[in-house]
Amino acid sequence: MADSKSDDPSISVIVPVKDSARTVRDLLDSLMKLEYDEEKLEIIFVDGYSVDGTQEIIEEYPFELIAEEGKGLNAARNTGIRHTKGEIVAFTDGDCVVPPNWVTSIAKNFKEPGISFVGGMVKGYHESDFISTYMDETYFQVKPGFKGRQVVQELYLLNFPAGCNMAFRRDALEKIDFFDERIDHGFDDLLPVEELSDRGFSLVLDPDVLVYHQHRTNLHALLKQHYNYGRGGTLLLVHKSSSRLAHWFSTYLVFSTFAICLFAALMLINFYIPKMLPLNFGLGFYTFGFLILISLYTGTAIRSRSLRKVLIYPVLDIARGLFFTWGGVSELLRIIRRKI
């Protein structure tokens, strides 16, 4: 551990986990190497009743392990907050790996007294895996995309941080009643950041605050992840309809659902009336969109000397979008059925 510095804030690292046995040991090993004063650092794991041996792995290490008080990722985050005391509350996930200077980089930003939140960058841990690399190179990112350190009062969609690499000043979190436990699956981590920005708090986005994330490495897991993101978007829309994130998601959901339905109708009608010019024009429009995606990834493919990315990346983009929309629509229908 690094030498103590009197002006360093006390930091509580909270890690929500559930059935993370496959990845959590890598995180645990990296947390053991953190360069920060031990007297000002506490690390706590909050387990959502894992059944795959996650708890047993964590118990091999000198970190506190407690059970989640509630249900869902935000419930686990709130449980961790209640059981810690640090001035700064930092979060990462059980499928991440943190560099030795992670906490030090967070603390450096909070030495400015007006800063209430710090969000960092996320990079893929498995550099040789195709799908993991795709998640780092896609133009439709679900992880932070900001360039250079920024101090802002308002966040835009592409500048939002990720829940696996964020830190809050505790007293700022208290002012927004911590994390909303009704939001789950996706957008759960972004809402409190938006609420802080709405109240005029200063926020830092710093690419030097870096974690490595073990992205999904197979197609099924990737599509399931984005399906769940869509479900979370609908929960956000239902419970926090006035938020900017909810407005963005509702716009996306309406547009994407309309586009999918229109495409399906064109395909069906064109099957029976193949020579109708308007229908062929419509299908040509979708083909043109796919060609634009191909052109976007041409440079990426050339730089990485992997020409298959030109065709596979656009297909993965479209598949992710479809499952994201499907998740949102299915959750909305689920909610409607419960109310009927």
Side-chain angles (χ1 to χ4, degrees):
M1 295 290 182
D3 293 335
S4 174
K5 294 183 179 180
S6 60
D7 60 342
D8 282 344
S10 59
I11 296 183
S12 300
V13 175
I14 299 170
V15 187
V17 291
K18 183 175 182 181
D19 296 331
S20 303
R22 184 180 63 84
T23 59
V24 74
R25 191 178 294 278
D26 291 328
L27 171 63
L28 289 158
D29 288 340
S30 68
L31 290 172
M32 292 291 293
K33 301 173 184 176
L34 285 175
E35 299 168 344
Y36 205 72
D37 179 12
E38 292 181 357
E39 295 182 359
K40 293 189 174 184
L41 177 65
E42 60 179 336
I43 299 173
I44 184 171
F45 282 75
V46 184
D47 182 70
Y49 305 98
S50 297
V51 296
D52 68 343
T54 297
Q55 296 178 19
E56 290 77 6
I57 295 173
I58 295 172
E59 288 171 347
E60 297 175 19
Y61 293 77
F63 304 128
E64 185 177 359
L65 172 65
I66 62 174
E68 175 185 308
E69 300 166 350
K71 183 179 180 182
L73 190 52
N74 275 351
R77 290 179 175 127
N78 287 339
T79 298
I81 294 170
R82 288 191 291 269
H83 286 79
T84 55
K85 299 179 180 179
E87 302 166 61
I88 308 302
V89 183
F91 297 92
T92 191
D93 288 346
D95 55 359
C96 291
V97 174
V98 300
N101 69 341
W102 178 57
V103 172
T104 304
S105 298
I106 291 173
K108 181 179 178 181
N109 283 289
F110 279 109
K111 288 183 179 180
E112 298 180 32
I115 301 302
S116 296
F117 169 85
V118 173
M121 192 61 69
V122 179
K123 291 185 179 180
Y125 184 63
H126 300 291
E127 295 182 353
S128 60
D129 181 83
F130 184 82
I131 290 182
S132 177
T133 302
Y134 158 74
M135 288 304 295
D136 280 340
E137 294 181 337
T138 177
Y139 282 91
F140 302 94
Q141 296 281 355
V142 295
K143 59 186 186 64
F146 50 85
K147 306 293 183 183
R149 185 179 185 274
Q150 306 173 29
V151 180
V152 299
Q153 270 72 43
E154 184 175 355
L155 292 180
Y156 300 97
L157 184 64
L158 295 180
N159 265 8
F160 267 91
C164 64
N165 188 15
M166 56 171 49
F168 299 82
R169 201 177 292 276
R170 183 181 293 270
D171 57 8
L173 263 181
E174 290 173 350
K175 288 181 172 62
I176 59 170
D177 295 325
F178 305 111
F179 290 85
D180 191 328
E181 297 183 16
R182 298 172 298 176
I183 314 299
D184 201 7
H185 307 300
F187 296 92
D188 45 285
D189 50 350
L190 302 182
L191 184 59
V193 185
E194 180 181 313
E195 291 177 339
L196 286 177
S197 71
D198 288 343
R199 295 197 179 199
F201 287 99
S202 293
L203 319 171
V204 167
L205 304 174
D206 186 356
D208 289 337
V209 179
L210 172 69
V211 303
Y212 298 93
H213 182 256
Q214 300 196 46
H215 297 327
R216 305 304 188 268
T217 56
N218 65 77
L219 183 60
H220 176 267
L222 180 69
L223 297 181
K224 181 180 178 181
Q225 179 187 43
H226 285 77
Y227 173 83
N228 285 330
Y229 286 162
R231 293 180 62 194
T234 292
L235 291 174
L236 176 70
L237 185 58
V238 169
H239 297 297
K240 293 286 187 177
S241 59
S242 62
S243 75
R244 296 193 303 278
L245 284 166
H247 289 165
W248 172 85
F249 179 77
S250 62
T251 301
Y252 169 85
L253 192 64
V254 169
F255 176 80
S256 62
T257 302
F258 173 78
I260 291 168
C261 291
L262 178 60
F263 179 76
L266 288 173
M267 291 294 291
L268 182 63
I269 297 173
N270 202 53
F271 179 78
Y272 291 102
I273 315 175
K275 293 185 179 181
M276 285 190 66
L277 181 61
L279 298 177
N280 289 330
F281 177 80
L283 293 174
F285 177 78
Y286 286 103
T287 301
F288 178 71
F290 185 75
L291 292 175
I292 290 177
L293 288 176
I294 289 177
S295 67
L296 287 175
Y297 289 115
T298 299
T300 301
I302 293 173
R303 286 192 299 272
S304 61
R305 298 182 181 180
S306 178
L307 294 180
R308 60 177 178 162
K309 293 179 180 179
V310 170
L311 293 177
I312 297 178
Y313 277 13
V315 171
L316 291 175
D317 284 342
I318 293 170
R320 285 170 54 212
L322 289 173
F323 274 78
F324 185 58
T325 301
W326 179 24
V329 172
S330 65
E331 185 66 25
L332 184 61
L333 294 174
R334 191 178 294 114
I335 292 171
I336 293 173
R337 284 198 299 269
R338 284 201 298 263
K339 292 184 176 181
I340 294 177

